[in-house]
Amino acid sequence: MKLFSRSLVLFVLFFTFNAAAQIKNDSITITEKDTINKNEKVTYEIGKEYILGGITVTGLKKFSEETVKVFTGLVTGQLIKLPGDKLTSAIKKLYESKQFSNVDVYLIRVDGETIYLEFDVQELPQLNEVRINGIKKSKAKELINDAELKLGAMVTDNLLVTTKNYFTKKYTDKGFLKTKVTLDLQKDTTDINIVNMSVFIDKGERVKIKDIVFTGNEKLSGKKLRKAMSKTKEKLIGRFWKASKYIEEDYQEDLEKILDKYSRLGFRDARILSENISWNENNTINVNIELEEGKQYRFADIVFVGNKEYSDEQLRSVLRIEKGDVYNGAILKERVKGDGSPTSEDLSTMYQDSGFLFSQVNAVETKVENDFITVEIRIREDEKARIRKVTVTGNDKTNDHVIFRELRVKPGDLFSRSAIIRSIREIGQLGFFDQNVSPDVVPDYQNKTADIDFTVVEKGGSQIELQGGYGGGSFIGTLGLSFNNFSIRNILNKDAYKPLPMGDGQNLALRLQSSRTFSTYSFSFTEPWLGGRKPQSLSFSVYSSNQYQFNFQTGDVDRSQSLGIVGASLGLGKRLKWPDDFFQLSQSISYQAFNLKNYGFRVGQNILSNGNLNNLSYSATISRNSAGPSLIFPTYGSEFSLGIRATFPYSLVNGRDYTIDDNLSQEDRNARIAENYKWLEYYKASIKGKWYTSFTDKLVLMTNAEMGYLGYYNPKIGLSPFERYYVGGDGIAIFQLDGREVVGLRGYENNKLSSVEGGSIYNKFQLELRYSITDAPSASIYTLGFLEAGNSYDNFKTFNPFKLKRSAGVGIRIFMPAFGLLGIDFAHGFDPLPGFTEKSGWQTHFIIGRQF
């Protein structure tokens, strides 16, 4: 009997495949297998190309043989080497399919130039049912979904390990540090190669941190160090906003914050020698941290090297670090490289704003002597770079010119980082795009140029307001349409209606509101770039309103007592270049015609109830708006405005006597009053300011202060019955077109902080802390907490800027492009309404279509 020899076919292939594919090498073997004729010996020539005569597959349970052949990528009749890349690739593909736990390849026959292979595979079991024990069923279902344990998933070792780790971490991150998770697999007898998984979770009791103990700290107290740890806190009764949980990732971040705290105080060599946790008998832990503080350093000389464009004095004014200052490595880095914020003032930004795109500014410690460190600021200025090309992508609806005219970077300009940031802000202020505008700068070092591409994500430019509610004793219906990216030049182009002509950045708004007691119709149009060449805006509006007397006691509406208003306004706005280009001057002329029919207004000691009145006024506002980058959730900058609105002082030039004689009959007296107010005269001044301070990119403090004053020219006429201030409530003007200004002060009923006739003076102060939940294009959501104070006054005699109505509360805002801003606030008024003794208490305010 001839000797039968079995040899390893592709011994070399085994190691080659292990290095290239990096997959499970202990399960890959390629050997010869006995032929049917035991007396024949299988021989082959290493490295020779053979014709693949056929493939057989063994070990199958659920898969068909043809399916596995397809996975391998091998085809009968192709040339193949033993060993060779094609066979290596076939094995790799089978493993990458994640369907098999083991793959063996055998050479079963060599017939001249033809070979025959056999793939012996072991299929992975499939997951059928998952049960979690030890927690509530509702929570178990949620965990199964979160862990992505899906029906039919292949049960690999990796799946088992990651599943166990996931469930363990899920509960240790909640403070259950003793959580134990075990997995058990059982074969499912209803089908082939199917398993069920049972998960047993024993989370134990929640573990809290009793003490955080520091040793080795002499310069900084334990209290200051614990305060530096923002996420890892000791157990403290009454602290509900931050739980006392030990989470490893958060703890490691807090250890870095401790070292950063030391670094900012000059202790550059501070380090953590050891750290551990110890258990207490009451199921709490102590966190023990041993420190080595080192000594405190100070800045010695700061030397600038390589600077030609700027003098040492200019660079020092930006660096703002002097000899003898406590050494602060973090501040040094921020003043040299920037702090990552759009408003960062640092040396690198200084150079990049002047065209030095390829400049490099680095701080190097050159000498440490005693407690002083000498720092050398090494600068390589290089040549100035210019912008070669500017492109915008992602604007499917908005025309290119609408975006390009807002950009502060143009081809041929010197490169400027600040100009790019300003361009991002200007794009965001349009309101047509998601606030996450991402510029891509492509530098060309050889030619000293850069291409800039702004990628935008378009969001809806139109809003629909369709609502109904009950107020003023009747049902109120509202229909509002606002097209914020309209194109009037395409209004006759039927192909542009998708569903309306859009893309030129114009605003077209139509609003209809009606109830039993009033009806209002308004139309407005704004062109932000009149003529298309300069940032000069043109706005136009017309409106009509009818208001009828309502009896709150009987619920009746008397249409014989009415106030009708018809008005129009024309405005021009212009961006200014001085004091800087954030300023804008807006001017407008407006006219209103009032028709009073038995509709009473108190004017001083008299009642104005009938007559035709006219209001022709001029207004001018100078404003500065550097807030950005988003309209909805600004994170930096400020908004400021100073405005005045005035009529002509008719009574001072026409020589007419405006005195009302007490001896006149009531009819003549009413006629005289109406004549005195035939042409309204007044002047108004207002000042408003908002500041945005960001603590993180999601947490922002908005500070607001504002004040308004309504005055008169002639004391015989007194204040105008219109143009008054109404303070209190949500601040939303529902239907009034009589020039009144509605000022929100949450925590109080709408308009109830002003007298019935309205105030002539108001002031308001506000702090609002906002936190962004999401800034997705489909919906921007943020929460807020606020403190407010303000009041309304009838005249200067009652004016007291410190006699304020105070409130505090929380709320949420949701901005959806199709519907505008929606929100709700829960506010508590700490003071009583005028004429009452009990404080206002809790009030709920629904916000539609505007921000505070």
Side-chain angles (χ1 to χ4, degrees), residues 337-357:
K337 295 292 188 180
D339 58 12
S341 70
T343 57
S344 177
E345 296 181 5
D346 58 89
L347 298 180
S348 295
T349 297
M350 182 180 183
Y351 270 97
Q352 290 186 6
D353 283 348
S354 302
F356 293 95
L357 171 62

Side-chain angles (χ1 to χ4, degrees), residues 279-297:
W279 289 86
N280 301 311
E281 293 181 358
N282 60 351
N283 202 43
T284 61
I285 61 171
N286 297 329
V287 177
N288 307 299
I289 302 173
E290 183 182 0
L291 296 164
E292 182 180 85
E293 293 179 323
K295 57 185 177 180
Q296 187 181 49
Y297 291 90

Side-chain angles (χ1 to χ4, degrees), residues 481-548:
L481 301 175
S482 179
F483 307 107
N484 298 325
N485 195 4
F486 195 69
S487 175
I488 199 169
R489 66 188 175 94
N490 288 318
I491 200 166
L492 299 179
N493 181 5
K494 64 179 182 179
D495 295 331
Y497 282 76
K498 299 177 181 179
L500 289 169
M502 307 293 287
D504 281 344
Q506 298 155 347
N507 179 272
L508 183 69
L510 176 67
R511 199 164 191 267
L512 312 174
Q513 194 171 53
S514 182
S515 74
R516 283 200 309 143
T517 59
F518 72 90
S519 61
T520 300
Y521 312 93
S522 65
F523 169 83
S524 65
F525 173 78
T526 301
E527 166 55 73
W529 282 66
L530 184 60
R533 294 183 177 274
K534 294 182 178 181
Q536 299 182 137
S537 63
L538 170 69
S539 60
F540 171 74
S541 66
V542 292
Y543 47 86
S544 173
S545 173
N546 285 288
Q547 185 174 340
Y548 306 102

Side-chain angles (χ1 to χ4, degrees), residues 309 351-352 354-360 380-386 414-415 444-449:
E309 181 74 10
Y351 270 97
Q352 290 186 6
S354 302
F356 293 95
L357 171 62
F358 303 104
S359 63
Q360 294 183 5
R380 186 174 71 86
E381 293 181 345
D382 212 303
E383 297 179 30
K384 292 186 177 183
R386 293 194 175 270
L414 285 173
F415 180 87
D444 183 347
Y445 182 79
Q446 184 175 358
N447 296 308
K448 296 297 185 286
T449 61

Side-chain angles (χ1 to χ4, degrees), residues 122 133 149 281 307 323 396 410 432 584 651 666 693 722 743 795:
Q122 184 177 340
N133 304 287
L149 295 174
E281 293 181 358
N307 53 308
K323 182 177 180 179
D396 299 326
K410 310 287 183 184
F432 311 147
Q584 179 166 321
S651 66
Q666 189 63 46
T693 305
F722 307 112
V743 181
N795 49 56

Side-chain angles (χ1 to χ4, degrees), residues 9 45 149 208 349 378 421 423 530 532 550 559 702 720 777 848:
V9 174
E45 186 176 339
L149 295 174
K208 293 189 175 183
T349 297
R378 297 175 181 175
I421 293 173
S423 297
L530 184 60
F550 176 73
R559 290 183 173 264
M702 188 277 287
S720 165
I848 300 175

Side-chain angles (χ1 to χ4, degrees), residues 316-333:
R316 289 185 193 280
S317 67
V318 175
L319 189 63
R320 304 188 303 283
I321 297 175
E322 301 294 336
K323 182 177 180 179
D325 289 351
V326 171
Y327 186 85
N328 189 326
I331 291 295
L332 176 63
K333 182 179 179 181

